[in-house]
């Protein structure tokens, strides 16, 4: 049964309904979708793509799934894409530059209309991403972004989030605040380190390089660094970690050392991972609007998809963070 003929509609009208186009009356949309459901109708995406020169597929590439950060961002992105009539194709790079390059090739082979990407900790060459620009395929960065490419980006104010966290520790009476930083090749790590230093400077607390450790985000190494800090002649009375997995691991190590949290040492993380509220003591952290990050990134990408290449706009959206105070401080 042909839906267009049965409902006495044009094929273009039926196509607009099935691809989520907004300019269709509710009555027509309901009638088409009801009949499509009755017929167990499957969209012919090849025919649609040939007609519109779009595949209605968006690629999303993330560096890892080990924390809840990226899955939560993807949930927001997927819902926004669905509402706009787009499918989403996911891949994760496992923090490997080579895997990230391979993932972009898969996205190109699948002819996605555009991609969202958050870089791996290893990525310092961006040739594999500049290919998308040359082919007229829009790209939007989120969280871990590339400063070399003039494309839309969605980030949070990492500097302000770190500043607020460290300022809170200082106002709570902490004077020797250590920072377990991420790799400085990542913009987010550098901005969080800058926010940490700015808070110390504001309250005339000397920056002690002995208390700052930058590491490659391999969680197995946190034990070495936390024990090193605790073994100092003058150990820290607080730790501000670059992310929640680092902070959570630090809490486990501190507890094994027999120290009381937060009485003897306080701990603050960044991201508001699911586990941060479940551990004991629960973790004070800097929360990011994860679903909003995903939604905003998709909205920017679809705006680019619907524009001529010459009209692309390199907008950077900076979203706010929120300090969530729990038992670890």
């Amino acid at each position: 049964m042909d839906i267009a003929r049965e409902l006495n509609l044009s094929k273009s009208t039926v196509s607009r309904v099935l691809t989520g186009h907004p300019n269709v009356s509710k009555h027509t949309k309901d009638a088409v979708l009801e009949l499509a459901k009755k017929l167990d109708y499957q969209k012919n995406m090849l025919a649609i793509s040939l007609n519109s020169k779009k595949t209605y597929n968006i690629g999303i590439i993330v560096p890892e799934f080990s924390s809840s950060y990226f899955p939560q961002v993807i949930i927001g992105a997927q819902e926004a894409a669905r509402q706009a009539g787009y499918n989403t194709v996911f891949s994760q790079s496992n923090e490997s530059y080579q895997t990230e390059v391979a993932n972009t090739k898969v996205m190109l082979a699948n002819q996605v209309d555009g991609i969202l990407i958050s870089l791996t900790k290893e990525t310092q060459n961006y040739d594999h991403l500049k290919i998308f620009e040359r082919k007229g395929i829009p790209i939007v960065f989120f969280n871990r972004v590339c400063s070399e490419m003039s494309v839309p980006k969605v980030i949070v104010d990492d500097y302000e989030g770190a500043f607020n966290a460290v300022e809170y520790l200082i106002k709570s009476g902490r004077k020797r605040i250590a920072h377990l930083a991420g790799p400085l090749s990542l913009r987010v790590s550098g901005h969080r380190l800058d926010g940490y230093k700015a808070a110390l400077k504001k309250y005339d607390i000397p920056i002690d390089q002995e208390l700052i450790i930058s590491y490659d985000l391999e969680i197995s190494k946190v034990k070495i660094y936390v024990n090193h800090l605790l073994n100092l002649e003058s150990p820290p009375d607080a730790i501000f970690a670059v992310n929640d997995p680092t902070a959570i691991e630090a809490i486990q190590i501190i507890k094994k050392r027999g120290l009381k949290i937060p009485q003897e040492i306080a701990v603050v993380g960044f991201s508001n991972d699911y586990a941060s509220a479940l551990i004991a003591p629960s973790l004070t952290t800097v929360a990011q609007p994860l679903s909003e990050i995903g939604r905003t990134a998709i909205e920017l990408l679809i705006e680019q998809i619907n524009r001529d290449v010459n009209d692309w706009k390199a907008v950077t959206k900076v979203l706010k963070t929120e300090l969530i105070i729990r038992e670890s401080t």
Side-chain angles (χ1 to χ4, degrees), residues 178-179 181 193 196-197 207-214 229:
H179 180 38
L193 175 60
Y196 160 85
K197 290 179 176 179
I207 295 172
D208 186 345
Q209 294 298 330
E210 190 176 45
L211 295 177
I212 301 172
I213 299 176
S214 176
L229 290 170

Side-chain angles (χ1 to χ4, degrees), residues 17-280:
V17 172
L18 295 175
T19 56
H21 197 284
N23 296 330
V24 183
S25 72
K26 185 178 186 303
H27 173 76
T28 299
K29 180 180 177 181
D30 290 346
V32 171
L33 293 179
E34 183 178 352
L35 184 55
K37 183 177 180 181
K38 180 180 178 182
L39 298 175
D40 192 24
Y41 182 82
Q42 300 296 316
K43 288 185 285 187
N44 186 339
M45 294 310 297
L46 177 60
I48 291 171
S49 65
L50 289 172
N51 183 54
S52 65
K53 297 183 180 179
K54 293 181 181 179
T55 62
Y56 289 91
N57 289 327
I58 286 173
I60 303 179
I61 302 175
V62 298
E64 51 89 0
F65 281 148
S66 58
S67 69
S68 67
Y69 176 91
F70 289 106
Q72 289 185 74
V73 171
I74 285 173
I75 289 171
Q78 187 174 32
E79 177 60 18
R82 185 193 65 78
Q83 291 175 354
Y86 285 82
N87 302 307
T88 45
V89 181
F90 310 110
S91 64
Q92 69 98 9
S93 304
N94 198 29
E95 294 288 14
S96 163
Y97 167 73
Q98 294 299 333
T99 303
E100 180 180 279
V101 172
N103 287 343
T104 60
K105 291 178 180 179
V106 170
M107 295 300 179
L108 286 170
N110 280 277
Q111 299 181 315
V112 294
D113 293 332
I115 66 166
L116 305 184
I117 184 167
S118 187
L119 301 171
T120 77
K121 64 185 181 184
E122 296 181 352
T123 305
Q124 297 187 51
N125 181 299
Y126 310 104
D127 290 346
H128 60 300
L129 300 171
K130 293 176 181 177
I131 292 173
F132 287 85
E133 283 190 300
R134 292 198 296 273
K135 289 182 174 290
I137 302 171
I139 182 170
V140 173
F141 288 97
F142 68 96
N143 182 251
R144 303 180 186 178
V145 305
C146 168
S147 58
E148 285 186 18
M149 296 176 65
S150 183
V151 299
K153 302 173 179 71
V154 181
I155 58 177
V156 300
D157 195 333
D158 292 287
Y159 175 94
E160 182 184 70
F163 180 94
N164 290 341
V166 177
E167 181 178 54
Y168 169 74
L169 288 169
I170 294 169
K171 288 183 175 180
S172 300
R174 312 293 170 165
K175 298 296 183 184
R176 289 204 33 96
I177 303 170
H179 180 38
L180 287 175
L184 297 184
S185 59
L186 291 177
R187 183 203 64 86
V188 294
S189 301
H191 285 196
R192 290 173 195 178
L193 175 60
D194 290 343
Y196 160 85
K197 290 179 176 179
L200 296 180
K201 185 177 180 181
K202 177 181 177 180
Y203 291 92
D204 297 319
I205 297 175
I207 295 172
D208 186 345
Q209 294 298 330
E210 190 176 45
L211 295 177
I212 301 172
I213 299 176
S214 176
Y215 86 111
D216 62 5
L217 302 181
E218 289 289 338
I219 291 298
S220 61
K221 296 178 182 177
V222 175
K223 180 178 181 179
I224 298 170
Y225 301 133
V226 171
N227 279 320
H228 168 75
L229 290 170
L230 297 179
N231 289 336
L232 292 175
E233 185 176 339
S234 181
D237 55 13
I239 293 176
F240 168 54
V242 66
N243 59 23
D244 281 359
T246 302
I248 290 169
E249 184 68 12
I251 285 176
Q252 305 307 320
I253 295 158
I254 292 167
K255 286 165 64 176
K256 287 180 181 177
R257 289 282 296 256
L259 298 174
K260 295 180 180 178
I261 304 172
Q263 293 88 339
E264 295 176 274
I265 183 169
V267 181
V268 178
F270 204 112
S271 288
N272 197 28
D273 191 277
Y274 281 139
S276 64
L278 303 177
I279 62 167

